[in-house]
Amino acid sequence: MTVYEAELVVAGTEPAADGVLALTLRHPLGEPLPAWEPGAHVDLVLGPELERQYSLCGDPADRAAWRVAVLREPAGRGGSAFVHEQLGPGDKVRVRGPRNHFALRPAPRYRFIAGGIGITPILPMLAAAEAAGAEWTLLYGGRSRDSMAFTEELARYGDRVTLAPQDETGLLDLGAVLDALPEGTLVYCCGPGALLDAVEERCPSGALHVERFQPKEQQTGDDAEFEVELAQSGRTVTVAAGVSVLDAVRDAGVEVLFSCTEGTCGTCETDVLEGTPEHRDSVLTPEEREAGETMMICVSRCRGKRLVLDL
């Protein structure tokens, strides 16, 4: 599958909240950007071994520009600091994508829950739900009101949006949103891992869709050795214990797109033609894991002795 990749220009920047910078990206020649749907993210290639994923939070109908918002994380690995300190209007940045593992599915009603910078993929979902005539509410929490991004844009939705800064209201009242969900309601949640874990405990799995910034702790088996057949070349690669499929195929000279190496971004998703994966990612839904049609080769392994992958 061909993935769009281009040098885009930072057309503008603006603070979206304390510590949050919004960037507008355009093609330098004014060419239209690929279409996307709410929940999609792009990779910003900031330098050698410095790639980060950010949710698109603008208007999907606007093919002339993409908008992302980046939270500065002092304890991060350098990506957010680079964006805040090195990127300004007129600068160019290589962008890859979009990809979407958090797509908004049709439903008569939604409950949206966002924590902190987790509002970014939710923002275009609200507009889509509104345009579809669905019934919806948003519960949005953050450390403080000043730290919560895009509150001015959210104000137009009135009382369907509940802002809950922790220093004013304490922890989010998830029970008020999730207890006794009407039939047919889908729940979309993005934010810190503790919030997602709490929502997962209270919400029926079939109704819940989440996106994680950090990998979820997985219950896994032993890292036994197995073989991977690469269907496109007919080669077979041995994946040793303690070595990822990604590293094994790259060591064999096969070029594969990847980014986070933690099972959260979805960049290395690969079709499984034969065999049963042992999923260790934080991207696929329970239904997708059960189907076993794809796997994230940066973290996931094999439940048997052999996989055949579309590589």
Side-chain angles (χ1 to χ4, degrees):
M1 181 178 66
T2 302
V3 177
Y4 178 84
E5 185 170 343
E7 291 270 342
L8 300 185
V9 174
V10 179
T13 63
E14 61 177 337
D18 284 352
V20 179
L21 184 68
L23 281 70
T24 299
L25 306 171
R26 298 182 184 272
H27 193 280
L29 301 180
E31 296 179 5
L33 300 174
W36 61 280
E37 296 183 352
H41 70 262
V42 294
D43 304 334
L44 298 192
V45 184
L46 304 172
E49 300 185 6
L50 187 61
E51 299 182 18
R52 297 293 182 267
Q53 292 71 46
Y54 299 107
S55 297
L56 292 170
C57 57
D59 179 3
D62 183 3
R63 297 286 300 277
W66 283 344
R67 181 176 71 168
V68 298
V70 180
L71 170 66
R72 177 154 193 168
E73 301 182 81
R77 296 177 297 167
S80 67
F82 184 97
V83 171
H84 278 253
E85 297 172 7
Q86 304 295 327
L87 291 184
D91 290 331
K92 291 185 177 181
V93 60
R94 180 156 291 275
V95 183
R96 183 188 303 128
R99 297 181 181 84
N100 198 341
H101 290 279
F102 193 43
L104 185 68
R105 299 182 182 180
R109 62 190 62 83
Y110 300 95
R111 298 293 177 261
F112 297 106
I113 303 171
I117 199 63
I119 189 61
T120 51
I122 300 294
L123 199 60
M125 291 184 178
L126 304 182
E130 183 82 354
E135 184 270 311
W136 63 268
T137 63
L138 166 67
L139 177 61
Y140 177 24
R143 296 187 309 277
S144 65
R145 194 173 295 269
D146 289 343
S147 73
M148 297 168 66
F150 303 117
T151 54
E152 291 185 4
E153 292 186 27
L154 293 170
R156 66 189 176 103
Y157 294 120
D159 61 6
R160 280 173 293 178
V161 173
T162 299
L163 300 181
Q166 187 172 353
D167 61 352
E168 299 177 23
T169 64
L171 296 178
L172 294 179
D173 184 0
L174 298 179
V177 176
L178 299 177
D179 291 351
L181 281 176
E183 184 176 353
T185 303
L186 295 185
V187 178
Y188 280 78
C189 181
C190 185
L195 171 62
L196 301 186
D197 292 343
V199 171
E200 286 182 338
E201 290 179 1
R202 304 190 71 128
C203 188
S205 61
L208 179 60
H209 301 269
V210 302
E211 183 168 61
R212 291 181 176 270
F213 300 134
Q214 300 294 331
K216 183 179 181 181
E217 185 175 348
Q218 305 286 341
Q219 297 294 326
T220 60
D222 296 332
D223 275 6
E225 181 178 287
F226 60 96
E227 291 189 340
V228 171
E229 180 182 332
L230 310 180
Q232 294 181 23
S233 65
R235 299 175 61 187
T236 297
V237 174
T238 298
V239 181
V243 176
S244 70
V245 177
L246 174 65
D247 286 342
V249 298
R250 292 185 71 229
D251 287 345
V254 178
E255 292 296 322
V256 183
L257 281 178
F258 69 98
S259 183
C260 74
T261 69
E262 296 178 331
T264 58
C265 74
T267 302
C268 69
E269 184 174 15
T270 302
D271 288 341
V272 178
L273 304 181
E274 293 182 30
T276 304
E278 181 189 282
H279 296 292
R280 300 185 180 186
D281 65 278
S282 301
V283 176
L284 298 177
T285 65
E287 294 78 13
E288 290 168 334
R289 287 176 171 232
E290 182 65 25
E293 296 176 352
T294 68
M295 65 183 289
M296 307 303 156
I297 61 172
C298 65
V299 291
S300 297
R301 300 185 68 79
C302 179
R303 287 186 178 174
K305 295 294 186 180
R306 180 174 174 271
L307 289 172
V308 181
L309 302 181
D310 189 16
L311 290 173

